[in-house]
Amino acid sequence: MESAHRLLALFVLIGLVLGVNFLYVTMDFRSYPSAEEIMTDPGMVDGQDVFIFEEVESVTSDQQRVTILLEDKYFAGLDLGGDMLDTRDEHEITVLVADATVVGSIQAGSYIQIHGRLSHESTRIDAHTIVVEYQHTGDWLYTYGMSLFGGLIACIFFFRHWRITPTGFAPRRDP
Amino acid sequence: MAEWFSHVLFAYAIFTIARWPINWIDTKWVAVGMIGALLPDLNRLELVLPGEIITSVVGIEFGWLGLHTIAGVTLLAGIGALLFRKAPTQQRAFLLLLGGALSHLILDLPQRYADGHMLLSTYAFPLPVPRPPTPGWYSTPDRWVAGIAVILALLVFVLNHLHYRSPPEYLD
Protein backbone atom coordinates (compact mmCIF):
# COMPACT_ATOMS: atom_id res chain seq x y z
CA MET A 1 0.00 0.00 0.00
CA GLU A 2 1.49 3.37 -0.96
CA SER A 3 2.52 5.69 1.85
CA ALA A 4 -0.16 8.27 1.06
CA HIS A 5 -2.87 5.61 1.06
CA ARG A 6 -1.55 4.16 4.31
CA LEU A 7 -1.57 7.59 5.94
CA LEU A 8 -5.12 8.23 4.75
CA ALA A 9 -6.24 4.81 6.01
CA LEU A 10 -4.58 5.56 9.37
CA PHE A 11 -6.41 8.86 9.75
CA VAL A 12 -9.71 7.23 8.80
CA LEU A 13 -9.25 4.43 11.33
CA ILE A 14 -8.21 6.84 14.08
CA GLY A 15 -11.31 8.89 13.32
CA LEU A 16 -13.46 5.76 13.49
CA VAL A 17 -11.91 4.72 16.80
CA LEU A 18 -12.72 8.12 18.28
CA GLY A 19 -16.21 7.83 16.79
CA VAL A 20 -16.70 4.44 18.50
CA ASN A 21 -15.81 6.07 21.81
CA PHE A 22 -18.29 8.91 21.26
CA LEU A 23 -20.98 6.40 20.29
CA TYR A 24 -20.24 3.98 23.13
CA VAL A 25 -20.99 6.48 25.91
CA THR A 26 -24.47 7.06 24.47
CA MET A 27 -25.34 3.37 24.67
CA ASP A 28 -27.42 2.01 27.54
CA PHE A 29 -26.05 -1.46 28.24
CA ARG A 30 -27.36 -2.13 31.67
CA SER A 31 -30.85 -2.64 32.92
CA TYR A 32 -30.00 -0.66 36.05
CA PRO A 33 -30.22 3.07 36.79
CA SER A 34 -26.99 4.89 36.05
CA ALA A 35 -25.21 7.14 38.57
CA GLU A 36 -26.42 10.11 36.54
CA GLU A 37 -30.05 8.97 36.75
CA ILE A 38 -29.75 8.45 40.51
CA MET A 39 -28.28 11.91 41.02
CA THR A 40 -30.76 13.63 38.68
CA ASP A 41 -33.95 12.18 40.16
CA PRO A 42 -33.23 10.13 43.29
CA GLY A 43 -36.87 9.47 44.14
CA MET A 44 -37.70 8.19 40.67
CA VAL A 45 -35.39 5.15 40.98
CA ASP A 46 -36.39 4.16 44.52
CA GLY A 47 -37.31 0.52 44.69
CA GLN A 48 -35.14 -0.40 41.69
CA ASP A 49 -32.13 -2.66 41.77
CA VAL A 50 -28.81 -0.99 41.06
CA PHE A 51 -25.34 -2.27 40.11
CA ILE A 52 -22.60 0.17 41.11
CA PHE A 53 -18.80 0.20 41.15
CA GLU A 54 -17.56 2.71 43.75
CA GLU A 55 -14.86 3.56 46.25
CA VAL A 56 -15.76 3.22 49.93
CA GLU A 57 -15.76 6.54 51.80
CA SER A 58 -16.26 5.08 55.24
CA VAL A 59 -17.33 1.88 56.97
CA THR A 60 -18.76 1.31 60.45
CA SER A 61 -16.75 -0.70 62.95
CA ASP A 62 -19.15 -3.65 62.71
CA GLN A 63 -18.88 -3.56 58.88
CA GLN A 64 -22.66 -3.47 58.57
CA ARG A 65 -22.84 -0.03 56.90
CA VAL A 66 -20.68 1.39 54.16
CA THR A 67 -20.80 4.92 52.74
CA ILE A 68 -20.16 5.61 49.06
CA LEU A 69 -20.25 8.88 47.13
CA LEU A 70 -21.52 9.28 43.58
CA GLU A 71 -19.83 12.24 41.89
CA ASP A 72 -20.53 14.16 38.70
CA LYS A 73 -17.13 15.45 37.61
CA TYR A 74 -16.29 17.99 34.93
CA PHE A 75 -13.15 19.50 33.45
CA ALA A 76 -12.37 22.58 35.55
CA GLY A 77 -9.30 23.74 33.64
CA LEU A 78 -5.62 22.99 33.26
CA ASP A 79 -3.88 22.80 36.59
CA LEU A 80 -0.38 21.38 36.52
CA GLY A 81 -0.23 21.14 40.29
CA GLY A 82 -3.55 19.47 41.00
CA ASP A 83 -6.68 17.75 39.82
CA MET A 84 -8.07 19.03 36.52
CA LEU A 85 -11.50 17.67 37.36
CA ASP A 86 -13.93 19.31 39.74
CA THR A 87 -17.14 17.98 41.23
CA ARG A 88 -20.37 19.50 39.94
CA ASP A 89 -22.64 17.37 42.09
CA GLU A 90 -22.37 14.54 44.58
CA HIS A 91 -24.76 12.09 46.19
CA GLU A 92 -24.01 10.09 49.33
CA ILE A 93 -25.42 6.61 49.74
CA THR A 94 -25.37 4.31 52.76
CA VAL A 95 -25.04 0.66 51.85
CA LEU A 96 -26.45 -1.91 54.24
CA VAL A 97 -24.18 -4.94 54.08
CA ALA A 98 -26.20 -8.13 54.36
CA ASP A 99 -23.55 -10.20 52.55
CA ALA A 100 -21.71 -11.96 55.39
CA THR A 101 -18.93 -13.14 53.06
CA VAL A 102 -17.47 -9.63 52.76
CA VAL A 103 -17.65 -8.69 56.43
CA GLY A 104 -14.12 -7.90 57.57
CA SER A 105 -12.76 -7.25 54.09
CA ILE A 106 -14.14 -3.76 53.43
CA GLN A 107 -12.22 -0.68 54.51
CA ALA A 108 -12.22 3.01 53.64
CA GLY A 109 -10.66 3.30 50.19
CA SER A 110 -11.70 -0.19 49.09
CA TYR A 111 -13.17 -0.40 45.60
CA ILE A 112 -16.32 -2.47 45.64
CA GLN A 113 -19.19 -3.62 43.44
CA ILE A 114 -22.67 -3.36 44.91
CA HIS A 115 -25.80 -5.06 43.66
CA GLY A 116 -28.79 -4.02 45.74
CA ARG A 117 -32.06 -2.13 46.03
CA LEU A 118 -32.34 1.65 46.26
CA SER A 119 -34.59 3.30 48.84
CA HIS A 120 -35.09 6.49 50.86
CA GLU A 121 -34.65 8.85 47.86
CA SER A 122 -31.67 6.76 46.71
CA THR A 123 -29.73 7.50 49.89
CA ARG A 124 -29.74 3.86 50.88
CA ILE A 125 -28.93 0.56 49.18
CA ASP A 126 -29.90 -2.75 50.72
CA ALA A 127 -27.13 -4.83 49.22
CA HIS A 128 -27.94 -8.29 47.83
CA THR A 129 -24.30 -8.95 46.97
CA ILE A 130 -21.04 -7.05 47.39
CA VAL A 131 -17.79 -7.92 45.64
CA VAL A 132 -14.66 -6.37 47.10
CA GLU A 133 -12.56 -5.81 44.00
CA TYR A 134 -9.65 -3.81 45.44
CA GLN A 135 -9.42 -4.09 49.20
CA HIS A 136 -6.47 -1.77 49.84
CA THR A 137 -3.57 0.07 48.18
CA GLY A 138 -1.59 -3.15 47.92
CA ASP A 139 -4.13 -4.54 45.46
CA TRP A 140 -3.79 -1.48 43.23
CA LEU A 141 0.00 -1.61 43.41
CA TYR A 142 -0.03 -5.31 42.51
CA THR A 143 -2.35 -4.77 39.54
CA TYR A 144 -0.49 -1.78 38.10
CA GLY A 145 2.92 -3.26 38.89
CA MET A 146 2.15 -6.57 37.21
CA SER A 147 0.58 -4.74 34.27
CA LEU A 148 3.70 -2.64 33.82
CA PHE A 149 5.85 -5.78 34.01
CA GLY A 150 3.62 -7.59 31.50
CA GLY A 151 3.73 -4.66 29.12
CA LEU A 152 7.51 -4.60 29.39
CA ILE A 153 7.76 -8.31 28.60
CA ALA A 154 5.53 -7.92 25.55
CA CYS A 155 7.53 -4.93 24.25
CA ILE A 156 10.90 -6.61 24.80
CA PHE A 157 9.69 -9.79 23.08
CA PHE A 158 8.27 -7.76 20.20
CA PHE A 159 11.41 -5.71 19.59
CA ARG A 160 13.57 -8.84 19.73
CA HIS A 161 11.87 -9.86 16.49
CA TRP A 162 10.84 -6.56 14.89
CA ARG A 163 12.66 -3.34 14.11
CA ILE A 164 11.43 0.15 13.30
CA THR A 165 12.16 1.39 9.79
CA PRO A 166 11.11 4.65 8.12
CA THR A 167 8.24 2.77 6.44
CA GLY A 168 7.10 0.74 9.43
CA PHE A 169 7.87 -2.37 11.46
CA ALA A 170 9.96 -4.99 9.67
CA PRO A 171 11.28 -8.38 10.81
CA ARG A 172 14.80 -8.18 12.18
CA ARG A 173 15.96 -10.85 9.76
CA ASP A 174 14.61 -8.99 6.69
CA PRO A 175 17.32 -7.33 4.54
CA MET B 1 -9.94 -7.58 34.16
CA ALA B 2 -6.78 -9.56 34.61
CA GLU B 3 -3.49 -7.63 34.75
CA TRP B 4 -1.28 -7.39 31.65
CA PHE B 5 1.24 -9.96 32.84
CA SER B 6 -1.43 -12.69 32.73
CA HIS B 7 -2.90 -11.43 29.45
CA VAL B 8 0.51 -11.44 27.76
CA LEU B 9 1.39 -14.94 28.98
CA PHE B 10 -1.99 -16.38 27.96
CA ALA B 11 -1.52 -14.81 24.51
CA TYR B 12 1.96 -16.35 24.33
CA ALA B 13 0.47 -19.76 25.13
CA ILE B 14 -2.42 -19.45 22.66
CA PHE B 15 -0.33 -18.32 19.70
CA THR B 16 2.54 -20.72 20.41
CA ILE B 17 0.04 -23.57 20.26
CA ALA B 18 -1.40 -22.00 17.08
CA ARG B 19 2.08 -22.32 15.52
CA TRP B 20 1.83 -26.10 15.42
CA PRO B 21 -0.92 -26.39 12.78
CA ILE B 22 -0.35 -22.98 11.14
CA ASN B 23 3.12 -22.90 9.61
CA TRP B 24 3.46 -19.16 8.98
CA ILE B 25 3.04 -18.30 12.65
CA ASP B 26 6.58 -18.18 13.99
CA THR B 27 8.02 -16.51 17.07
CA LYS B 28 7.81 -12.99 15.64
CA TRP B 29 4.08 -13.42 15.06
CA VAL B 30 3.58 -14.77 18.58
CA ALA B 31 5.16 -11.48 19.72
CA VAL B 32 2.59 -9.54 17.66
CA GLY B 33 -0.23 -11.52 19.28
CA MET B 34 1.16 -10.65 22.70
CA ILE B 35 1.07 -6.95 21.83
CA GLY B 36 -2.52 -7.44 20.62
CA ALA B 37 -3.42 -8.72 24.09
CA LEU B 38 -2.73 -5.20 25.43
CA LEU B 39 -4.97 -3.32 22.98
CA PRO B 40 -8.30 -3.38 24.89
CA ASP B 41 -6.66 -1.75 27.90
CA LEU B 42 -5.77 1.32 25.87
CA ASN B 43 -9.00 2.51 27.51
CA ARG B 44 -6.64 3.32 30.41
CA LEU B 45 -5.84 6.47 28.45
CA GLU B 46 -8.60 7.70 30.76
CA LEU B 47 -5.92 8.01 33.46
CA VAL B 48 -3.80 10.30 31.28
CA LEU B 49 -6.50 12.20 29.43
CA PRO B 50 -9.88 11.93 31.23
CA GLY B 51 -12.90 11.74 28.97
CA GLU B 52 -14.36 14.79 30.75
CA ILE B 53 -11.63 16.95 29.22
CA ILE B 54 -12.47 15.90 25.68
CA THR B 55 -16.16 16.31 26.47
CA SER B 56 -15.47 19.83 27.66
CA VAL B 57 -13.43 20.70 24.55
CA VAL B 58 -15.73 19.30 21.86
CA GLY B 59 -19.05 19.68 23.68
CA ILE B 60 -20.05 16.05 23.07
CA GLU B 61 -19.84 13.39 25.75
CA PHE B 62 -16.73 11.22 25.36
CA GLY B 63 -15.23 8.21 27.12
CA TRP B 64 -12.48 5.71 26.42
CA LEU B 65 -14.43 2.53 27.24
CA GLY B 66 -15.28 2.01 23.58
CA LEU B 67 -11.72 0.73 23.11
CA HIS B 68 -12.47 -2.29 25.33
CA THR B 69 -15.00 -3.67 22.84
CA ILE B 70 -15.00 -5.78 19.67
CA ALA B 71 -15.51 -2.63 17.60
CA GLY B 72 -12.71 -0.81 19.35
CA VAL B 73 -10.11 -3.58 19.16
CA THR B 74 -10.94 -4.33 15.51
CA LEU B 75 -10.17 -0.73 14.60
CA LEU B 76 -7.08 -0.67 16.85
CA ALA B 77 -5.83 -3.87 15.19
CA GLY B 78 -6.30 -2.15 11.83
CA ILE B 79 -4.30 0.86 12.98
CA GLY B 80 -1.58 -1.41 14.33
CA ALA B 81 -1.46 -3.46 11.13
CA LEU B 82 -0.89 -0.34 9.04
CA LEU B 83 2.27 0.32 11.06
CA PHE B 84 3.89 -2.76 9.48
CA ARG B 85 5.89 -2.33 6.32
CA LYS B 86 4.47 -4.63 3.64
CA ALA B 87 0.95 -5.66 2.62
CA PRO B 88 1.17 -9.43 3.36
CA THR B 89 2.78 -8.55 6.70
CA GLN B 90 0.00 -6.05 7.43
CA GLN B 91 -2.69 -8.69 6.87
CA ARG B 92 -1.02 -11.17 9.20
CA ALA B 93 -0.36 -8.40 11.74
CA PHE B 94 -4.06 -7.53 11.71
CA LEU B 95 -5.03 -11.16 12.39
CA LEU B 96 -2.57 -11.58 15.25
CA LEU B 97 -3.30 -8.19 16.83
CA LEU B 98 -7.04 -8.86 16.66
CA GLY B 99 -6.56 -12.41 17.93
CA GLY B 100 -4.53 -11.16 20.88
CA ALA B 101 -7.11 -8.49 21.66
CA LEU B 102 -9.98 -10.97 21.50
CA SER B 103 -8.08 -13.31 23.83
CA HIS B 104 -7.94 -10.39 26.29
CA LEU B 105 -11.69 -9.77 26.06
CA ILE B 106 -12.48 -13.47 26.48
CA LEU B 107 -10.16 -13.76 29.49
CA ASP B 108 -11.86 -10.74 31.09
CA LEU B 109 -15.33 -12.29 30.81
CA PRO B 110 -15.54 -14.82 33.67
CA GLN B 111 -14.79 -12.33 36.45
CA ARG B 112 -16.68 -11.93 39.68
CA TYR B 113 -19.59 -9.46 39.32
CA ALA B 114 -21.98 -8.56 42.11
CA ASP B 115 -25.09 -9.07 39.96
CA GLY B 116 -23.83 -12.47 38.79
CA HIS B 117 -23.60 -11.68 35.06
CA MET B 118 -20.73 -11.15 32.63
CA LEU B 119 -20.13 -7.79 30.92
CA LEU B 120 -20.47 -9.52 27.52
CA SER B 121 -23.00 -6.96 26.31
CA THR B 122 -20.47 -4.13 26.70
CA TYR B 123 -17.44 -6.06 25.38
CA ALA B 124 -19.36 -7.26 22.32
CA PHE B 125 -20.35 -3.72 21.20
CA PRO B 126 -21.72 -3.15 18.57
CA LEU B 127 -23.18 -6.67 18.56
CA PRO B 128 -26.41 -6.85 20.58
CA VAL B 129 -25.89 -9.75 22.99
CA PRO B 130 -27.27 -10.42 26.47
CA ARG B 131 -25.31 -10.73 29.70
CA PRO B 132 -25.01 -14.44 30.51
CA PRO B 133 -24.27 -15.67 34.04
CA THR B 134 -20.64 -15.41 35.09
CA PRO B 135 -18.80 -18.27 36.82
CA GLY B 136 -17.13 -15.54 38.90
CA TRP B 137 -13.70 -17.20 38.76
CA TYR B 138 -11.60 -14.21 39.77
CA SER B 139 -11.23 -10.51 40.55
CA THR B 140 -8.45 -8.41 39.05
CA PRO B 141 -6.07 -8.41 42.07
CA ASP B 142 -6.30 -12.19 42.62
CA ARG B 143 -2.66 -13.29 42.64
CA TRP B 144 -3.31 -16.90 41.59
CA VAL B 145 -4.32 -15.83 38.05
CA ALA B 146 -0.72 -14.83 37.31
CA GLY B 147 0.43 -18.14 38.79
CA ILE B 148 -1.79 -20.09 36.40
CA ALA B 149 -0.56 -17.96 33.50
CA VAL B 150 3.09 -18.69 34.36
CA ILE B 151 2.47 -22.44 34.66
CA LEU B 152 0.57 -22.52 31.37
CA ALA B 153 3.22 -20.49 29.55
CA LEU B 154 6.03 -22.72 30.87
CA LEU B 155 4.13 -25.86 29.89
CA VAL B 156 3.54 -24.56 26.37
CA PHE B 157 7.18 -23.44 26.13
CA VAL B 158 8.36 -26.96 26.96
CA LEU B 159 5.82 -28.63 24.65
CA ASN B 160 6.78 -26.24 21.85
CA HIS B 161 10.43 -27.06 22.31
CA LEU B 162 9.62 -30.78 22.16
CA HIS B 163 7.36 -30.24 19.14
CA TYR B 164 10.12 -28.65 17.08
CA ARG B 165 12.75 -31.14 18.25
CA SER B 166 10.49 -33.95 16.94
CA PRO B 167 8.85 -32.69 13.74
CA PRO B 168 5.70 -34.49 12.50
CA GLU B 169 6.15 -37.50 10.18
CA TYR B 170 5.03 -35.70 7.01
CA LEU B 171 8.17 -33.55 7.16
CA ASP B 172 10.51 -36.58 7.06
Side-chain angles (χ1 to χ4, degrees):
Chain A
M1 192 186 285
E2 292 177 25
S3 295
H5 290 150
R6 273 174 75 189
L7 208 56
L8 178 63
L10 264 172
F11 277 118
V12 168
L13 287 178
I14 290 170
L16 287 173
V17 158
L18 293 174
V20 160
N21 283 309
F22 278 111
L23 183 61
Y24 183 88
V25 292
T26 67
M27 304 297 292
D28 184 14
F29 292 104
R30 298 184 191 172
S31 53
Y32 307 104
S34 64
E36 194 182 336
E37 286 168 339
I38 293 171
M39 293 171 74
T40 304
D41 197 343
M44 178 72 96
V45 293
D46 262 358
Q48 292 187 37
D49 274 359
V50 67
F51 180 26
I52 287 180
F53 293 64
E54 268 302 335
E55 186 179 319
V56 173
E57 295 292 315
S58 64
V59 56
T60 55
S61 55
D62 59 1
Q63 299 256 320
Q64 294 300 310
R65 288 172 186 261
V66 164
T67 306
I68 61 171
L69 198 64
L70 302 183
E71 292 177 303
D72 179 14
K73 287 192 176 284
Y74 68 99
F75 174 52
L78 283 173
D79 181 359
L80 297 174
D83 198 355
M84 290 184 285
L85 301 181
D86 209 344
T87 305
R88 190 186 348 246
D89 193 13
E90 53 186 43
H91 181 90
E92 188 175 284
I93 301 177
T94 300
V95 182
L96 302 186
V97 181
D99 187 349
T101 60
V102 300
V103 170
S105 60
I106 303 176
Q107 48 189 264
S110 294
Y111 190 74
I112 63 175
Q113 302 174 23
I114 306 153
H115 179 230
R117 183 144 300 171
L118 286 163
S119 64
H120 297 79
E121 298 275 316
S122 299
T123 59
R124 180 171 130 177
I125 296 176
D126 290 281
H128 309 315
T129 312
I130 292 177
V131 170
V132 182
E133 208 166 331
Y134 293 86
Q135 188 180 13
H136 46 61
T137 311
D139 285 342
W140 288 104
L141 287 174
Y142 169 80
T143 300
Y144 285 115
M146 289 298 274
S147 290
L148 208 65
F149 184 48
L152 208 62
I153 289 173
C155 288
I156 290 171
F157 200 50
F158 179 82
F159 284 109
R160 273 191 66 190
H161 298 283
W162 298 90
R163 57 192 170 94
I164 301 172
T165 73
T167 51
F169 294 119
R172 285 202 175 270
R173 291 191 197 142
D174 248 15
Chain B
M1 55 140 222
E3 23 65 30
W4 283 359
F5 179 72
S6 297
H7 278 302
V8 159
L9 290 188
F10 277 115
Y12 167 81
I14 290 165
F15 293 111
T16 302
I17 292 170
R19 288 182 66 180
W20 303 341
I22 305 172
N23 290 330
W24 62 263
I25 298 180
D26 55 19
T27 316
K28 67 178 183 290
W29 290 115
V30 172
V32 174
M34 290 165 73
I35 293 291
L38 305 179
L39 292 181
D41 277 355
L42 285 178
N43 67 347
R44 298 299 166 138
L45 281 167
E46 175 74 27
L47 298 172
V48 176
L49 183 62
E52 288 87 350
I53 294 177
I54 299 174
T55 300
S56 171
V57 169
V58 301
I60 306 170
E61 197 175 354
F62 180 87
W64 291 104
L65 286 178
L67 296 183
H68 201 279
T69 65
I70 288 177
V73 301
T74 302
L75 293 170
L76 287 173
I79 291 169
L82 286 172
L83 300 179
F84 287 77
R85 202 167 63 172
K86 297 176 185 173
T89 310
Q90 289 167 358
Q91 290 160 12
R92 290 179 176 180
F94 175 76
L95 286 174
L96 270 298
L97 287 171
L98 182 60
L102 291 176
S103 78
H104 178 123
L105 294 180
I106 290 169
L107 192 61
D108 276 356
L109 281 174
Q111 291 183 79
R112 212 169 291 132
Y113 292 110
D115 73 345
H117 293 82
M118 296 180 185
L119 294 182
L120 181 61
S121 57
T122 58
Y123 293 179
F125 174 80
L127 304 173
V129 298
R131 293 184 60 209
T134 177
W137 286 336
Y138 72 96
S139 285
T140 303
D142 285 348
R143 280 37 168 191
W144 62 266
V145 178
I148 296 288
V150 168
I151 292 169
L152 181 65
L154 281 174
L155 187 66
V156 170
F157 176 81
V158 169
L159 289 174
N160 186 58
H161 182 69
L162 292 173
H163 177 86
Y164 284 100
R165 275 187 65 188
S166 309
E169 291 174 2
Y170 65 81
L171 290 181
D172 288 342

